[in-house]
Amino acid sequence: MSKMCVVTGGAGFIGCALSTKLANRFGRVIVIDSLHPQIHAERKRPTELDPRVELMVADVTEASTWAQALEITRPDVVVHLAAETGTGQSLTEASRHATANVLGTTRMLDAFATASHVPERFVLASSRAVYGEGAWQSRNLGEVTYPGQRSKQQLERAEWDFPGLEPLPMDAEKTIPNPTSIYGATKLTQEQILRAWALSFGTIVNVLRLQNVYGPGQSLTNSYTGIVSLFIRMAKEGKSIPIYEDGDIGRDFVFIDDVASALDKATTTDLSQSLAYDVGTGSKTTVLDLARIIAKRYGAPEPHVNGMFRNGDVRCAVANIDRTVRELEWQPLKTVGEGIGQLSGWIDSQLS
């Protein structure tokens, strides 16, 4: 309980869900967050942030932020959540994503080097976006291949899949990272920068690659933080949910409580320093199936497939979580159906 923890971007969706666990585990927890208006419309302390947590409103990309932070604390553990997260948005706001995700990380590390302080452990919330389309397998021969990013021309022809291939689960031990978005590239860069620094300074970096996180506390106004809350709002309004491509876009939707549990465990666990750890449910849910679950709950019209697409989106993203379950001694507890029910109840209470 005497140890200290700093959480970057800790006033966001994941940070708030994690805050009570960290406050129970550490003697002092300090959150550094700029309260960006895209996430925090009113730019005030979130009510979901545990009251025992100290909030420092500041930008992690500024050297002065870290100089100020290291005057008041010498953290034993750093949980690095601060990031710009919009996959599609990053294609048109690349500089903003690179500044927050890459420069924000190097500013932090430079400050620790200048202060001659090396935390015992870093925990990085990385993303499944680092894999891009990931590995696919030949249906006939079983050969593994990396087809790369789907081109705009391919998507305009409504060629959603790669002929003769089927996607394989994303597995940090086997799948070669190959981002198809600026966001994914910056998250992979975060991993590499932290590992290089940690190896030189003799500390630990635990990297968790998160799949699609959803649950109570998610932004209801930011369209870049996930489709689940967006679909629920549309269904509540009695609208037919529009589905991109042919509806068979595969995702691994993991509940916020399960993600917070994984991150919490990573603050005290020594994991492999050469590998990342995948955090999801290990099960595929298509976007059309998700929309149908939500529409049925609210008595909304049947979702409709509109054939539209978004550049940079991957066709299928599902994690192999076997090694994470084994080595982190963690497992997801919430099914998609249960999670949707809990999120829907929370949204209903917020919008009533």
Side-chain angles (χ1 to χ4, degrees):
M1 287 295 292
S2 62
K3 291 191 174 183
M4 292 184 288
C5 179
V6 163
V7 188
T8 69
F13 172 41
I14 295 176
C16 285
L18 180 60
S19 63
T20 296
K21 293 180 181 296
L22 295 182
N24 289 339
R25 187 181 294 279
F26 292 91
R28 187 181 187 190
V29 180
I30 298 175
V31 159
I32 304 174
D33 198 300
S34 65
L35 300 183
H36 194 286
Q38 181 168 297
I39 304 296
H40 305 273
E42 298 182 9
R43 301 207 69 194
K44 63 180 183 181
R45 181 187 177 104
T47 57
E48 299 84 2
L49 187 65
D50 191 284
R52 293 170 291 176
V53 170
E54 301 171 46
L55 174 60
M56 177 180 171
V57 180
D59 189 339
V60 296
T61 68
E62 299 291 338
S64 58
T65 293
W66 290 103
Q68 180 184 351
L70 293 180
E71 286 180 358
I72 61 174
T73 182
R74 288 289 192 271
D76 299 283
V77 175
V78 176
V79 180
H80 194 31
L81 304 179
E84 293 289 351
T85 60
T87 301
Q89 187 182 26
S90 71
L91 294 173
T92 56
E93 298 184 31
S95 295
R96 176 180 159 194
H97 282 72
T99 298
N101 301 353
V102 179
L103 181 61
T105 302
T106 56
R107 287 283 196 215
M108 172 180 69
L109 297 177
D110 285 349
F112 283 127
T114 299
S116 298
H117 176 70
V118 179
E120 295 175 4
R121 179 179 284 106
F122 290 87
V123 177
L124 173 64
S126 188
S127 170
R128 57 91 176 163
V130 304
Y131 294 115
E133 286 288 354
W136 290 56
Q137 188 174 46
S138 168
R139 290 192 178 95
N140 297 326
L141 303 177
E143 295 178 349
V144 176
T145 184
Y146 288 81
Q149 182 173 355
R150 297 180 297 172
S151 68
K152 182 180 180 183
Q153 292 74 22
Q154 177 183 351
L155 296 173
E156 287 174 340
R157 295 192 298 267
E159 296 176 3
W160 311 124
D161 289 301
F162 299 99
L165 301 177
E166 56 186 10
L168 293 173
M170 295 171 169
D171 184 337
E173 198 168 17
K174 300 176 180 178
T175 310
I176 301 170
N178 187 22
T180 59
S181 67
I182 304 299
Y183 167 64
T186 62
K187 293 303 289 184
L188 183 58
T189 302
Q190 275 189 328
E191 293 185 15
Q192 294 167 332
I193 289 171
L194 274 167
R195 281 205 181 96
W197 194 91
L199 187 62
S200 296
F201 284 86
T203 187
I204 294 170
V205 176
N206 288 340
V207 176
L208 303 187
R209 291 175 178 166
L210 311 182
Q211 291 285 322
N212 285 60
V213 187
Y214 74 101
Q218 199 163 14
S219 174
L220 301 182
T221 58
N222 181 8
S223 60
Y224 295 103
T225 58
I227 62 172
V228 184
S229 58
L230 175 64
F231 282 6
I232 291 174
R233 292 197 67 171
M234 296 183 73
K236 278 178 64 65
E237 295 169 3
K239 298 177 180 177
S240 171
I241 301 170
I243 306 299
Y244 280 17
E245 300 185 18
D246 61 353
D248 197 32
I249 304 167
R251 293 292 181 266
D252 188 338
F253 294 102
V254 57
F255 196 67
I256 181 60
D257 292 357
D258 291 328
V259 170
S261 175
L263 288 165
D264 177 49
K265 280 182 171 290
T267 63
T268 59
T269 306
D270 290 343
L271 298 172
S272 169
Q273 295 303 284
S274 62
L275 293 170
Y277 288 77
D278 298 290
V279 175
T281 64
S283 299
K284 172 184 173 180
T285 301
T286 70
V287 173
L288 181 56
D289 286 342
L290 174 75
R292 282 174 170 159
I293 292 170
I294 294 171
K296 182 178 180 180
R297 177 180 176 86
Y298 288 98
E302 175 75 5
H304 64 280
V305 175
N306 60 17
M308 296 177 64
F309 61 88
R310 188 173 68 170
N311 277 325
D313 263 359
V314 301
R315 180 61 168 170
C316 187
V318 180
N320 179 347
I321 62 172
D322 291 347
R323 187 167 50 86
T324 308
V325 169
R326 183 176 64 252
E327 297 185 22
L328 192 59
E329 298 183 353
W330 161 92
Q331 62 180 0
L333 301 178
K334 194 78 67 174
T335 67
V336 169
E338 292 168 341
I340 293 299
Q342 194 164 330
L343 174 59
S344 297
W346 177 77
I347 291 178
D348 291 346
S349 70
Q350 298 295 304
L351 300 181
S352 60

